[in-house]
Amino acid sequence: MAKTIAEINEKISKGQAVVVTAVEIIDLVEKKGVARAAQEVDVVTTGTFGPMCSSGAYFNVGHSRPRIKIGGGKAYLNDVPAYTGFAAVDIFLGAAAIPDDDPRNRVHPGPFNYGGGHVIEELVAGRDVRLVVSAYGTDCYPRKKLETWINLKDLNEAVLFNIRNAYQNYNVAVNLSGKTIYTYMGVLKPNQGNANYSSAGQLSPLLNDPYYKTIGIGTRIFLGGGIGYVAWQGTQHNPDVLRTDSGVPRRGAGTLAVIGDLKQMSPRWLVGTSMLGYGCTLTVGIGVPIPILSEEILRYTAVKDEEIFAPIVDYGEAYPQRSPEILGEVSYGDLRSGMILLQGKEVPTASLSSYPGAVEIANMLKEWIIKGEFLLTEPVAPLPGVEAGITFKPLQERPIEEGD
Amino acid sequence: MAISKRVVLHFPPRLVEQPIIYRLVKDHNLVLNILKASVTPKEEGLLVLELSGDRNDYDKGIRYLTDVGVRIQSLGQNIVRNEARCTQCGACVVVCPTGALAIDPKTRMVNFYEDKCTACELCVLPCPPRAMEVHF
């Protein structure tokens, strides 16, 4: 046993690697046992396809003639504002950005039909997008106005850069209040009328590598239908949470920051998304390969929905008020049955993360590896683990007094 | 034989001010439940109905409507799932009151059973990728 990534890559190049998805490995381990499965299998592929708000993309749009300094000015892509605090023609567009004239929640719940995530989807689909800029003008960048169509293929760089994706586990949202609420976890009916969850569970990348033993900075991944990389741990990366005996986090824990060339991605796996009454976001497809370097690593990949537990949180009161209490825990096995029992009441469940999408991504990644088109990478540095001593801090407000 | 069907009725402007539904119920002994109505004087009127009653009465009622000039569509055509936009997440299944949107327990795909859809439109805005479209 004890393979190395280099050895696995050699097998991939020769077309001899044995690759299975994080679902297929469950049956395989049940049939053959951990030791045999670890000997036979080289790579387990994972996948997840859900709304991930901390996503975005940066662009270098090229220099106009005469030149314009977008930096420090205002830039809009299909009326959605982009961030301009960079050099002359670099802009960053966040998935959650919305047009200045969007009515938002003026009539609640606002529909949030179009935002940054939708612009990213349209660009990836090859559609022209309107760039409108106003700038202050300088001696070297005299122009003050710019209105033009742009297309992804003509940009110098277009890079998807998501600062928090692929959450390792997440809350199950219910609403104990007496009225319907509209959240980033979807529409929650009153009196715990439904329970919404959002994880690929047994297919989710970080739930298959709970201690980040193989996934690290530099790991090559499936991102938005193309190839990307883990750039860093994601924001709010918080490894030191309650875990099951086998190491699986029982709360939201690790996260990934990911990066990749938008030009080779697909609108099938980057979908502009509207959360009624909440805002805009982007549904992102991510798949991470896990090299089977040891029996221990294989055992982690054989985790199943029945063994992964998520906290149930009241979004009517506890979540908005940031109170720590949870209403209990429930397994993804139970959540996927369509109904859970909560405080003596049967509550129908719904997923915001696409399980069929996650399966498809894990299968696509598996195909790429089997065909020798996708080689694994050695992480450049590990992600911070449980031992890193990270605490997920709330904001400590300090009032700003007059004269400060 | 009893029957219950959901239909969409389009009223040409000349019929909007006539008591068609009154005649439909009174002369044909049908029970109706209005699911949606949009009636503006001098414009085309729209009515989405669930019609129940004896099969013969139902057929005669539909013939009456057709004869006076009402255009009839069956309902399934009116909420359409844009398959290219649907991400198969399943956020809709707890919003749909009739079970027209339901998860296949085996594949975990979200099925759309058009025959169960009442075109209530409750799924349209909560669908995150906005794949459920209203087509009239």
Side-chain angles (χ1 to χ4, degrees):
Chain A
M1 184 60 223
K3 289 173 230 173
T4 65
I5 289 176
E7 284 165 3
I8 293 174
N9 276 340
E10 215 179 292
K11 289 178 82 173
I12 295 173
S13 302
K14 287 184 191 154
Q16 295 169 349
V18 178
V19 189
V20 299
T21 70
V23 178
E24 292 163 342
I25 193 68
I26 296 170
D27 282 347
L28 201 79
V29 166
E30 263 165 28
K31 261 189 228 142
K32 302 195 169 180
V34 170
R36 229 175 107 213
Q39 225 143 48
E40 287 177 14
V41 175
D42 299 307
V43 185
V44 172
T45 58
T46 64
T48 183
F49 186 41
M52 306 191 198
C53 293
S54 269
S55 302
Y58 63 82
F59 310 100
N60 179 286
V61 300
H63 291 270
S64 60
R65 187 158 62 195
R67 293 180 193 268
I68 187 165
K69 182 178 183 288
I70 303 174
K74 285 189 189 307
Y76 294 88
L77 292 166
N78 281 357
D79 296 330
V80 179
Y83 181 73
T84 65
F86 299 113
V89 295
D90 289 337
I91 56 176
F92 190 99
L93 176 67
I98 46 177
D100 292 343
D101 62 358
D102 186 286
R104 291 157 162 82
N105 269 335
R106 196 163 301 151
V107 179
H108 188 259
F112 299 97
N113 287 321
Y114 196 86
H118 299 83
V119 177
I120 292 171
E121 180 192 329
E122 293 215 61
L123 280 167
V124 176
R127 287 199 277 275
D128 283 346
V129 163
R130 254 178 306 113
L131 170 66
V132 174
V133 178
S134 59
Y136 52 83
T138 73
D139 289 339
C140 45
Y141 290 87
R143 199 152 160 193
K144 293 183 177 171
K145 291 260 182 250
L146 173 67
E147 289 194 26
T148 179
W149 292 106
I150 60 166
N151 192 288
L152 188 71
K153 66 179 188 308
D154 303 324
L155 304 179
N156 289 312
E157 287 84 19
V159 181
L160 189 74
F161 187 13
N162 303 345
I163 61 174
R164 181 171 71 245
N165 279 178
Y167 231 121
Q168 188 180 28
N169 214 343
Y170 210 78
N171 292 343
V172 178
V174 297
N175 170 20
L176 298 186
S177 81
K179 64 178 193 356
T180 298
I181 59 171
Y182 301 87
T183 75
Y184 70 88
M185 292 297 285
V187 178
L188 300 174
K189 295 194 261 190
N191 309 311
Q192 54 194 57
N194 58 306
N196 284 12
Y197 61 104
S198 190
S199 171
Q202 62 194 14
L203 268 165
S204 178
L206 291 175
L207 287 171
N208 280 277
D209 184 11
Y211 290 114
Y212 331 114
K213 287 186 185 276
T214 70
I215 303 173
I217 294 162
T219 296
R220 184 179 290 138
I221 61 172
F222 172 111
L223 178 60
I227 285 174
Y229 296 86
V230 174
W232 201 252
Q233 67 269 27
T235 55
Q236 298 184 17
H237 179 75
N238 183 30
D240 192 12
V241 299
L242 213 57
R243 288 174 184 253
T244 65
D245 292 342
S246 50
V248 182
R250 308 170 81 105
R251 302 286 182 272
T255 64
L256 298 177
V258 298
I259 193 162
D261 180 8
L262 196 63
K263 293 191 182 188
Q264 36 100 45
M265 296 185 193
S266 147
R268 166 84 175 81
W269 302 109
L270 292 173
V271 182
T273 298
S274 303
M275 300 309 297
L276 182 61
Y278 178 75
C280 291
T281 181
L282 183 69
T283 296
V284 181
I286 293 179
V288 181
I290 297 178
I292 302 305
L293 305 175
S294 68
E295 285 183 17
E296 183 195 4
I297 287 167
L298 180 110
R299 197 175 300 117
Y300 292 134
T301 65
V303 72
K304 47 186 178 213
D305 282 338
E306 289 71 21
E307 303 160 344
I308 308 170
F309 293 86
I312 305 168
V313 175
D314 170 31
Y315 277 64
E317 176 69 21
Y319 186 86
Q321 298 308 321
R322 213 193 72 207
S323 37
E325 73 259 28
I326 65 165
L327 302 167
E329 284 185 353
V330 63
S331 79
Y332 285 96
D334 287 341
L335 286 164
R336 293 204 197 285
S337 77
M339 195 74 83
I340 59 170
L341 206 61
L342 178 58
Q343 302 181 331
K345 191 185 163 191
E346 284 199 322
V347 182
T349 61
S351 174
L352 295 174
S353 175
S354 168
Y355 189 84
V359 172
E360 201 177 328
I361 288 168
N363 276 316
M364 283 174 73
L365 184 54
K366 174 181 154 178
E367 288 305 310
W368 291 356
I369 297 171
I370 287 175
K371 283 191 198 147
E373 292 166 3
F374 185 107
L375 291 176
L376 309 191
T377 54
E378 197 91 51
V380 179
L383 297 173
V386 176
E387 70 295 336
I390 292 175
T391 52
F392 180 22
K393 294 187 286 290
L395 176 65
Q396 293 294 349
E397 290 179 64
R398 290 179 293 125
I400 301 168
E401 308 294 345
E402 226 172 292
D404 270 6
Chain B
M1 200 184 90
I3 186 172
S4 180
K5 281 199 175 182
R6 288 175 282 258
V7 290
V8 182
L9 309 182
H10 298 269
F11 292 76
R14 67 182 165 85
L15 290 182
V16 166
E17 286 169 45
Q18 292 184 32
I20 308 255
I21 294 302
Y22 168 79
R23 294 250 74 94
L24 175 72
V25 173
K26 187 145 194 301
D27 299 351
H28 302 88
N29 195 29
L30 292 171
V31 174
L32 67 82
N33 181 23
I34 298 177
L35 302 171
K36 186 186 173 107
S38 164
V39 182
T40 321
K42 298 191 171 66
E43 285 178 26
E44 183 181 90
L46 174 98
L47 201 54
V48 183
L49 291 180
E50 183 161 5
L51 273 178
S52 333
D54 184 78
R55 169 103 230 179
N56 283 334
D57 290 339
Y58 176 86
D59 289 344
K60 278 183 203 153
I62 291 292
R63 202 171 314 130
Y64 160 72
L65 289 172
T66 316
D67 288 348
V68 295
V70 174
R71 190 159 60 83
I72 302 172
Q73 273 183 300
S74 70
L75 192 55
Q77 302 162 13
N78 293 300
I79 296 284
V80 175
R81 181 164 70 175
N82 181 336
E83 300 294 340
R85 283 211 71 74
C86 174
T87 61
Q88 297 287 337
C89 70
C92 52
V93 299
V94 288
V95 177
C96 177
T98 64
L101 288 156
I103 302 267
D104 181 317
K106 235 182 148 174
T107 62
R108 312 222 53 83
M109 300 287 275
V110 184
N111 289 329
F112 178 39
Y113 301 104
E114 294 184 352
D115 55 330
K116 290 189 182 173
C117 175
T118 59
C120 70
E121 299 180 22
L122 279 178
C123 59
V124 173
L125 286 172
C127 169
R130 298 285 159 77
M132 304 307 292
E133 297 171 355
V134 188
H135 289 207
F136 284 112

